[in-house]
């Protein structure tokens, strides 16, 4: 059954996700801060909205996927936020990667207006967003998840109820540790191969199905082998996520040495003006360090 959806945030992830919903026959209103990014979706039949408030108006479900915690608060609860036009009983689903506390706070503020809320961050990258193969990590009520399931099925392959509001974001933080440390392993392995006269592409192909293989080796290792450092997932964004991880770990008295090293490497990317490249640009940091120790 077609659902009415307000979609806020048409970046690398949001654009492809909104397109999938439109192509699945749902009635989607789209908002993006930089309005031009919405044009191809309007051409596919989406209703353009000038503000998050306008995107939410009259819609049963509102999905947001923007950058960081303050951005989510702004688009949902700010002056032109979706909260101001949403119908009582609407369901808001935030799919950005943000701090678990912000998700819980947003959930409480929305509940006070009779609006249900799920945090539902995703993993699976730009490829997963395009192909509808994301893993969706849901925090909030099970009934609310069931209300959203039809849409989640268009966007993702594995949908996991992680616990109450904020729990999706906590599981996503765990994922970001895995992504960051996996990237260190990929970069070290591909440099060892390259300097030994073995093509990185061969290593990616040979090792992806084995015990050391991973989604990241397959998708991002092959981008490194091609010299393609365009974002999928930007260095600046993983640095945001690793700060969320470290905040959570600090509160638990947990020391994350591997994550700290990954933050240093990505920090060197940022200092070299590479913050808007993909996370696979960590390869460049290790390359610059060769022979220096
Ligand atoms: P992106 O391409 O940089 O897109 C960010 C989007 O948020 C843009 O549409 C941007 O609008 C909008 N935005 C940011 N701040 C805003 C504000 N204050 N008000 C209104 N709109 C605002 O990033 P992305 O890769 O799609 O990532 C989006 C979220 O998904 C992030 O939380 C990220 O950590 C998470 N994520 C990304 C990936 C990935 O592989 N890329 C995977 C999983 C999760 P403009 O177009 O005007 O800048």
């Amino acid at each position: 059954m077609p659902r009415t959806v307000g979609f806020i945030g048409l970046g690398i992830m949001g654009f492809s996700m909104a397109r999938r919903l439109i192509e699945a026959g749902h009635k989607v209103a789209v908002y993006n801060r930089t309005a031009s990014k919405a044009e191809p979706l309007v051409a596919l039949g989406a209703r353009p909205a000038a503000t998050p408030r306008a995107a939410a108006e009259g819609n049963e479900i509102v999905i947001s996927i923007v950058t960081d915690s303050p951005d989510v608060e702004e688009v949902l609860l700010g002056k032109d936020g979706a909260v101001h036009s949403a119908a009582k009983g609407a369901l808001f689903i935030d799919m950005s990667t943000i701090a678990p506390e912000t998700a819980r706070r947003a959930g409480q503020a929305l509940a006070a207006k009779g609006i249900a809320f799920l945090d539902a961050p995703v993993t699976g990258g730009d490829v997963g967003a395009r192909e509808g193969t994301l893993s969706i990590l849901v925090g909030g009520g099970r009934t609310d998840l069931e209300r959203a399931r039809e849409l989640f099925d268009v966007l993702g392959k594995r949908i996991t109820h992680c616990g109450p509001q904020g729990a999706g974001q906590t599981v996503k933080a765990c994922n970001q540790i895995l992504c960051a440390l996996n990237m260190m392993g990929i970069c070290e392995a591909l440099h060892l191969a390259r300097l030994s006269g073995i093509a990185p592409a061969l290593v990616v192909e040979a090792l992806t199905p084995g015990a050391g293989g991973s989604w990241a080796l397959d998708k991002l290792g092959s981008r490194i082998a091609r010299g393609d450092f365009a974002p999928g997932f930007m260095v600046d964004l993983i640095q945001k996520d690793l700060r969320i991880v470290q905040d959570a770990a600090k509160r638990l008295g947990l020391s994350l040495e591997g994550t700290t090293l990954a933050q240093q490497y990505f920090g060197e990317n940022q200092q070299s003006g590479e913050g808007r490249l993909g996370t696979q640009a960590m390869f460049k940091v290790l390359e610059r360090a060769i022979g220096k120790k």
Side-chain angles (χ1 to χ4, degrees):
M1 199 182 73
R3 311 286 287 273
T4 58
V5 182
F7 202 104
I8 298 169
L10 305 172
I12 290 177
M13 297 297 285
F15 182 88
S16 297
M17 292 161 71
R19 182 169 59 196
R20 290 193 65 79
L21 294 175
I22 296 161
E23 287 174 348
H26 298 292
K27 295 173 90 118
V28 184
V30 288
Y31 164 77
N32 197 64
R33 182 177 58 185
T34 307
S36 57
K37 287 192 197 168
E39 285 164 10
L41 297 180
V42 173
L44 289 177
R47 169 169 72 78
T51 59
R53 180 200 290 251
E57 196 154 7
N59 289 324
E60 178 199 354
I61 292 190
V62 173
I63 297 178
S64 51
I65 179 157
V66 292
T67 308
D68 202 351
S69 302
D71 306 312
V72 171
E73 288 181 315
E74 186 182 332
V75 300
L76 297 188
L77 306 169
K79 187 166 71 65
D80 278 326
V83 68
H84 302 298
S85 65
K88 239 190 169 65
L91 171 62
F92 282 17
I93 306 169
D94 179 52
M95 305 189 83
S96 327
T97 303
I98 61 169
E101 304 76 54
T102 308
R104 282 190 284 271
R105 249 198 337 267
Q108 283 161 10
L110 292 168
K113 307 271 182 191
I115 298 166
F117 178 75
L118 295 171
D119 53 301
V122 296
T123 165
D126 56 331
V127 184
R130 275 199 304 278
E131 297 179 355
T133 55
L134 295 168
S135 287
I136 306 179
L137 310 166
V138 185
R142 277 189 190 276
T143 327
D144 295 326
L145 191 162
E146 290 314 319
R147 277 177 76 188
R149 190 173 289 279
E150 190 182 347
L151 301 181
F152 285 161
D153 283 342
V154 175
L155 304 176
K157 221 165 50 177
R158 181 168 300 193
I159 296 141
T160 306
H161 184 240
C162 301
Q165 284 173 356
Q169 294 295 351
T170 301
V171 177
K172 173 72 188 187
C174 299
N175 182 70
Q176 298 314 80
I177 299 177
L178 298 174
C179 288
L181 272 65
N182 207 346
M183 187 54 71
M184 288 202 297
I186 291 167
C187 292
E188 290 192 352
L190 294 187
H191 274 303
L192 181 67
R194 189 178 65 83
L195 296 175
S196 309
I198 296 172
L202 179 149
V203 173
V204 171
E205 196 183 336
L207 299 186
T208 290
S214 62
W215 182 96
L217 179 63
D218 183 20
K219 302 289 192 284
L220 302 179
S222 49
R223 288 185 198 181
I224 292 172
R226 290 198 299 273
D228 174 3
F229 296 99
F233 183 49
M234 285 175 219
V235 168
D236 284 343
L237 290 184
I238 199 160
Q239 286 291 71
K240 158 191 71 88
D241 296 351
L242 296 179
R243 277 194 297 277
I244 293 171
V245 167
Q246 292 287 17
D247 285 348
K250 201 167 160 192
R251 273 194 293 278
L252 299 166
L254 181 63
S255 169
L256 301 175
E257 308 302 336
T259 302
T260 302
L261 181 55
Q263 284 176 295
Q264 282 168 20
Y265 286 155
F266 286 130
E268 288 180 40
N269 278 131
Q270 290 175 307
Q271 280 159 22
S272 303
E274 296 166 349
R276 295 186 68 79
L277 294 184
T279 53
Q280 70 274 23
M282 183 193 277
F283 188 80
K284 291 173 175 280
V285 172
L286 273 70
E287 188 165 41
R288 290 192 282 267
I290 290 168
K292 292 204 176 141
K293 281 195 180 159

